[in-house]
Amino acid sequence: MPPKPIRELRDLTRYRHKLVRARSAEKSRIHNILTVCNLMLSSVTTDIFGKSGMNIMKALLQSQPLDEDLLSDLVMGKLREKIPQLQVALKGQLTATQADKLSIALDNLRNFNEKITQIENLIEEKSRPFQDSIKLLCSCFAVKKVSAMAILSEIGTDMSCFPSAQHLCSWAGVCPQNNETGGKRRPAKTKKGNRYLKATLTQCVNTFSRSKKKSRLVSRFHSLKIRRGHNKAVMAVCRSLLTAIFHMLLNNEPFKEVSEPNTTNERTNTFSKVADEFLIQELVKRGYKLEAAT
């Protein structure tokens, strides 16, 4: 059982996690309302909950005609160049029932934003005694401050309670279950563990899943993704990241990156070879005969 300050911080971070999920669900409802009314705002804007998107939804609730002049006043930035596309996407009609539903959903969204801001202020206050540990975790490019506070709230700062990094990974549920029969090991899913910690680590890995940063974690992710797929690559890198966090907190030292030649040149060549061999094998399985190019 962790000490009381960690337990209090854990209660706040878990509550924030639930509020964020509830806010995401409310955003999905707003998307559904617009889709039902054939208002395809999401097909033009990358984020309908930005300033431009919110201005357009307020204008829809006020039953204002969304002509070119009004849209030029509502939208901002690069979206001004897409005003003709917006006019085509907003040719639907917001019914009275859906308008009432949209008004309630937007009000709930504002409330969620306010509550999440309040809970984040409380988390910031409770995490002040752990600023040194938070800075250690943030030395890894994959971990931001909010994620660092969530990770510390789950595992604490004292790593002596875990005999090894493998025990921590097993407790967190980022390693496969033991599925062995007749002396043979079979493929197995990841075991059940701390779902809050697993969700935070998954978010950290997904932030750099499309990154081209020169790092051993990124290289490991892309290498595994080619052979095993996206989901298994994410979980494998989650285990590598948690192992690094264990040693960072245990030894009180920042994240150490592998030298550049090991993570770029050698890995890049490996990626191309694996990809070529994989494609050749797939073509042979499908019955194609390959010949050397002349």
Side-chain angles (χ1 to χ4, degrees):
M1 180 180 293
K4 185 177 180 180
I6 295 292
R7 296 201 304 270
E8 292 178 345
L9 181 62
R10 177 185 294 178
D11 289 338
L12 294 175
T13 54
R14 289 186 176 183
Y15 187 41
R16 179 190 176 276
H17 175 79
K18 294 176 181 178
L19 287 177
V20 170
R21 293 191 63 180
R23 182 178 63 179
S24 300
E26 203 66 34
K27 287 183 177 181
S28 298
R29 293 188 187 97
I30 294 174
H31 275 284
N32 182 54
I33 292 171
L34 296 178
T35 303
V36 167
C37 297
N38 198 26
L39 298 168
M40 306 307 296
L41 182 61
S42 59
S43 64
V44 182
T45 62
T46 54
D47 182 16
I48 69 171
F49 301 102
K51 290 185 178 180
S52 300
M54 295 298 290
N55 290 338
I56 292 174
M57 284 189 280
K58 290 178 182 177
L60 288 171
L61 290 176
Q62 296 173 3
S63 301
Q64 298 181 11
L66 297 177
D67 52 12
E68 185 176 356
D69 295 334
L70 181 59
L71 286 174
S72 61
D73 296 333
L74 296 178
V75 301
M76 304 175 183
K78 295 182 179 180
L79 195 58
R80 289 178 177 272
E81 303 174 359
K82 300 181 180 179
I83 289 179
Q85 292 91 320
L86 278 174
Q87 288 181 288
V88 176
L90 297 174
K91 282 186 176 181
Q93 184 178 4
L94 187 65
T95 62
T97 302
Q98 296 297 332
D100 294 337
K101 186 178 177 182
L102 178 61
S103 178
I104 295 172
L106 289 175
D107 187 52
N108 287 338
L109 184 61
R110 285 191 293 269
N111 290 334
F112 279 126
N113 289 332
E114 293 175 0
K115 301 307 178 185
I116 290 173
T117 302
Q118 293 177 11
I119 200 73
E120 286 177 349
N121 293 334
L122 292 175
I123 292 173
E124 185 73 25
E125 182 179 354
K126 287 291 183 181
S127 62
R128 286 178 182 174
F130 313 110
Q131 289 302 314
D132 294 338
S133 299
I134 292 174
K135 289 181 180 179
L136 278 179
L137 297 187
C138 290
S139 63
C140 177
F141 71 95
V143 181
K144 305 303 179 184
K145 188 174 182 180
V146 175
S147 300
M149 291 187 290
I151 292 171
L152 285 179
S153 68
E154 298 297 335
I155 65 176
T157 57
D158 183 16
M159 294 294 101
S160 61
C161 58
F162 298 103
S164 65
Q166 288 77 10
H167 286 80
L168 174 58
C169 294
S170 177
W171 176 81
V174 293
C175 60
Q177 302 181 43
N178 185 18
N179 185 11
E180 183 175 345
T181 178
K184 295 182 180 180
R185 296 198 62 179
R186 296 182 175 181
K189 298 181 179 179
T190 54
K191 62 185 299 183
K192 294 182 180 180
N194 190 318
R195 60 189 179 95
Y196 296 98
L197 178 58
K198 188 185 294 187
T200 303
L201 293 173
T202 302
Q203 291 175 0
C204 292
V205 174
N206 280 324
T207 55
F208 64 80
S209 61
R210 298 182 180 180
S211 173
K212 296 182 180 179
K213 184 178 177 64
K214 300 176 182 178
S215 169
R216 58 181 174 180
L217 291 176
V218 178
S219 300
R220 176 169 170 76
F221 172 80
H222 291 298
S223 176
L224 290 171
K225 182 180 178 180
I226 294 172
R227 296 181 287 110
R228 306 300 301 276
H230 179 86
N231 293 334
K232 291 185 178 180
V234 168
M235 196 53 56
V237 178
C238 283
R239 180 176 181 177
S240 300
L241 180 59
L242 187 58
T243 302
I245 290 173
F246 173 84
H247 292 288
M248 289 160 62
L249 294 175
L250 181 65
N251 302 323
N252 195 25
E253 59 183 13
F255 181 76
K256 294 181 180 179
E257 191 56 84
V258 175
S259 59
E260 183 176 349
N262 292 338
T263 58
T264 56
N265 297 335
E266 295 180 2
R267 289 291 186 181
T268 302
N269 295 333
T270 303
F271 294 158
S272 60
K273 291 179 181 179
V274 171
D276 293 343
E277 293 174 0
F278 177 78
L279 293 175
I280 291 172
Q281 291 175 4
E282 287 296 318
L283 290 173
V284 172
K285 288 179 181 179
R286 296 173 185 268
Y288 292 94
K289 295 182 180 181
L290 303 181
E291 299 179 357
T294 57

